[in-house]
Amino acid sequence: MGQCRSANAEDTQDFSEVERAIETLIRSFHQYSVEGGKETLTPSELQALVTQQLPHLMPSNYGLEEKIANLGSCTDSKLEFGSFWELIGEAARSVKLETPVRSS
C-alpha cells in the first residue's frame, strides 16, 4: 500500500486503495481549482477536470454534462467540493463492472 497523508500531516500511514482513490479526487479538485479559490471550481475549471480526468465517463453520462452546463449558466457560480463529490457519485453510478467484485 502507498503512503498517504491524513488531515493531520504527522499522522502518515498506509492507506487502502479506496482511501488513496479519495485522496486522488481531493488532489484533483484542488489542482483544478485555480480561479475560484481552492475550495470551489468555476464552471470552466469543472469542465476541464471532467474532460481531462473523466474522458471515458463523460460521453455516456449526459446528466453530468447538463449539470455542468446549468452551473455555467449562472453568473459567478462556483461548485463546492460536496457538490463535486455528488457529481462524481453520479458518474460512478454509470459505470458497469464487466466482472463482479468478489467479497474478501
Side-chain angles (χ1 to χ4, degrees), residues 13-83:
Q13 56 186 328
D14 287 340
F15 276 31
S16 70
E17 288 184 37
V18 173
E19 289 170 319
R20 286 195 312 270
I22 291 169
E23 183 179 52
T24 298
L25 285 170
I26 294 167
R27 286 178 191 261
S28 293
F29 181 89
H30 289 298
Q31 176 186 349
Y32 283 85
S33 61
V34 178
E35 297 170 29
K38 287 293 182 190
E39 302 303 318
T40 60
L41 291 172
T42 64
S44 62
E45 291 169 340
L46 178 61
Q47 185 65 46
L49 187 156
V50 168
T51 302
Q52 295 170 17
Q53 299 298 321
L54 300 171
H56 304 291
L57 294 182
M58 276 307 293
S60 64
N61 199 333
Y62 296 110
L64 187 56
E65 279 185 337
E66 183 179 326
K67 289 180 186 301
I68 293 170
N70 289 340
L71 180 66
S73 67
C74 303
T75 56
D76 198 33
S77 59
K78 296 178 183 175
L79 186 77
E80 294 180 348
F81 185 79
S83 298

